[in-house]
Amino acid sequence: MAQHDYDCVVVGAGVEGSATGYHLTRTGHKTLLLEQFTLGHSKGSSHGQSRITRYTYRQIHYANMMPECFQTWERLGREVGTELYRKTGLLAVNGPPHQDYTLRSESLRVMGKPCELPTVGEICQRHPGFSFGPEHKAFVDPNGGVLRADSCLHALQTMFLKQGGVVKENEEVLEIVPGDPVLIVTSKGRYTAKSVVLTPGAWASKMLRPLGIDPPLKVTQLKVCYCPERQPGAFGNYPCFYYLSEKYETCGLPCDDHSGLFKVYNDHGDELQGPDQQNQAQHSHQIETLMSFIREHVPGLIPEPSLVEKCLYTSTPDKDIILDMHPDHPNIVIGCGFSGHGFKLAPAVGRILSELATGTTPSYDISPMSLKRFPNNGRLAAKV
């Protein structure tokens, strides 16, 4: 084989690509991980100190993946000697007609995982920084908690290297030429591989269209706010929360990295024309909506953010992710459109993508995540 030949090249070293590389090298495959920016950059969707994780899921195909995700984060933490997860519990609160409450709590029952069913009055008594009226329903996933996101990403990359993987950062992919082997042309070199896995995040459309693939993807930018506690330390033992009503869809989680602050964000952002436009986007209405939610439902926080961060979501219309092989080139594997699910699912996603890249039957049913759900298998529409 030529000097730069690999069993697999993974394009994009965010959490999905890094998890894929981790699984590939763990099973003995010679793997190159390419990143157009520096590792751990803040331009995409994988940066930041924390993410919510949980067992509960509306979609049972994701719920089925969560046990492996919890197990992998625990094993990975042992491998690198760093605690990657803090158990806080996840509080889910749902306004009428309570469909989300029913689906999510049922997923815990189906998996045989514990589910607590307090009244909203009991919740507000236990955690007086919250305020929910009697029209709400709620449950607690006691195993939910906080992933230390930066540490998780670093741990995946550390083990990838320890297991023999090769990383090249600040190296943009310019062209992917289908074939056997597939050719990857970058700003610094040319590499051939038996297969390539594309996990380009918000840059997916830019990378896939030259390959004749154009699934419907929308890039949005979220504003993540860190709000101060009215009484310092009052939220120290609070759970993560997910709130959904006809008015709001909001998440919150404790901050180990910012003492006295609580992290909150709306689950809907402002649409961008592309990831490179994010610095020009204006987001004041996102923050206004979020502060309105805090005034109504989290009076224990001051509705004035002390710190604001940005994060990109790349979403499909049905909010299901895309994990599939190129319909015409099966050694080109695609993982994109993670729709806000990506970080918590990364260990299972990495396994699936590594299996597709090596011709192994996936460990999970990925039919809900197939390109086949889109017109013409997600192919680029022919010009008339």
Side-chain angles (χ1 to χ4, degrees):
M1 298 181 74
Q3 182 180 358
H4 294 301
D5 283 351
Y6 293 88
D7 293 328
C8 186
V9 172
V10 180
V11 179
V15 71
E16 314 303 340
S18 296
T20 303
Y22 170 74
H23 282 288
L24 284 165
T25 53
R26 197 165 184 264
T27 50
H29 293 91
K30 186 180 180 183
T31 307
L32 170 64
L33 181 59
L34 291 171
E35 171 54 54
Q36 63 176 324
F37 305 115
T38 57
L39 294 181
H41 67 84
S42 61
K43 302 176 187 294
S45 306
S46 296
H47 62 284
Q49 290 83 13
S50 56
R51 295 291 192 280
I52 293 173
T53 192
R54 60 182 191 260
Y55 279 103
T56 180
Y57 244 111
R58 288 174 60 106
Q59 305 96 325
I60 197 64
H61 48 279
Y62 297 140
N64 289 336
M65 297 179 188
M66 288 312 301
E68 176 177 357
C69 295
F70 274 87
Q71 293 162 13
T72 302
W73 292 128
E74 182 181 2
R75 182 185 69 236
L76 188 63
R78 291 196 307 269
E79 289 172 340
V80 298
T82 302
E83 187 178 46
L84 301 179
Y85 157 74
R86 181 164 78 91
K87 183 177 176 179
T88 65
L90 172 84
L91 169 66
V93 181
N94 194 197
H98 308 125
Q99 183 182 18
D100 191 75
Y101 164 89
T102 302
L103 292 171
R104 289 180 187 269
S105 58
E106 176 66 10
S107 73
L108 291 176
R109 188 195 66 79
V110 169
M111 288 190 293
K113 297 297 180 182
C115 179
E116 301 171 4
L117 299 172
T119 66
V120 290
E122 290 170 336
I123 290 166
C124 295
Q125 186 175 21
R126 188 185 310 168
H127 302 295
F130 291 143
S131 176
F132 305 114
E135 73 278 9
H136 295 90
K137 286 189 175 182
F139 70 89
V140 174
D141 175 352
N143 288 308
V146 179
L147 290 172
R148 295 182 167 94
D150 281 349
S151 296
C152 289
L153 183 60
H154 182 68
L156 288 167
Q157 293 167 353
T158 296
M159 291 307 300
F160 172 75
L161 292 169
K162 187 175 181 179
Q163 292 164 176
V166 177
V167 173
K168 292 183 182 289
E169 55 187 325
N170 296 307
E171 187 162 349
E172 182 181 3
V173 171
L174 303 178
E175 184 181 12
I176 294 170
V177 182
D180 186 11
V182 61
L183 172 66
I184 301 93
V185 181
T186 76
S187 56
K188 297 181 179 179
R190 299 161 68 91
Y191 310 96
T192 57
K194 295 178 184 177
S195 63
V196 62
V197 176
L198 307 180
T199 52
W203 289 263
S205 293
K206 179 181 178 181
M207 183 165 289
L208 293 177
R209 283 171 182 159
L211 293 169
I213 300 296
D214 191 24
L217 297 172
K218 181 171 72 172
V219 177
T220 56
Q221 186 178 60
L222 276 66
K223 282 290 189 181
V224 179
C225 295
Y226 294 78
C227 290
E229 303 163 339
R230 291 191 183 275
Q231 296 181 349
F235 279 68
N237 66 340
Y238 272 44
C240 304
F241 74 80
Y242 171 74
Y243 178 92
L244 179 64
S245 69
E246 293 182 349
K247 189 176 181 181
Y248 301 112
E249 185 174 7
T250 306
C251 300
L253 62 157
C255 297
D256 293 340
D257 45 298
H258 297 294
S259 178
L261 302 180
F262 200 82
K263 181 177 179 178
V264 287
Y265 58 95
N266 292 321
D267 218 23
H268 299 282
D270 293 289
E271 186 169 0
L272 304 179
Q273 294 302 308
D276 299 323
Q277 302 300 313
Q278 55 185 304
N279 290 334
Q280 287 75 43
Q282 299 298 315
H283 304 280
S284 61
H285 71 278
Q286 276 193 59
I287 297 178
E288 290 170 4
T289 301
L290 190 56
M291 295 307 106
S292 175
F293 168 83
I294 289 173
R295 283 188 288 269
E296 288 185 40
H297 296 298
V298 197
L301 297 179
I302 297 173
E304 186 68 38
S306 298
L307 176 66
V308 179
E309 296 176 339
K310 61 189 179 184
C311 182
L312 297 185
Y313 273 16
T314 307
S315 303
T316 61
D318 58 11
K319 304 301 180 186
D320 269 320
I321 63 182
I322 297 172
L323 302 178
D324 207 345
M325 297 177 291
H326 191 294
D328 303 314
H329 309 290
N331 63 344
I332 298 177
V333 177
I334 300 165
C336 64
F338 287 95
S339 305
H341 307 299
F343 214 104
K344 65 183 74 66
L345 287 173
V349 165
R351 176 185 292 278
I352 292 166
L353 293 174
S354 70
E355 290 168 339
L356 292 174
T358 55
T360 306
T361 301
S363 298
Y364 300 92
D365 174 18
I366 60 171
S367 57
M369 295 157 264
S370 171
L371 284 167
K372 294 183 177 65
R373 69 188 197 266
F374 303 117
N376 200 26
N377 290 348
R379 290 183 178 88
L380 189 68
K383 293 183 180 180
V384 179

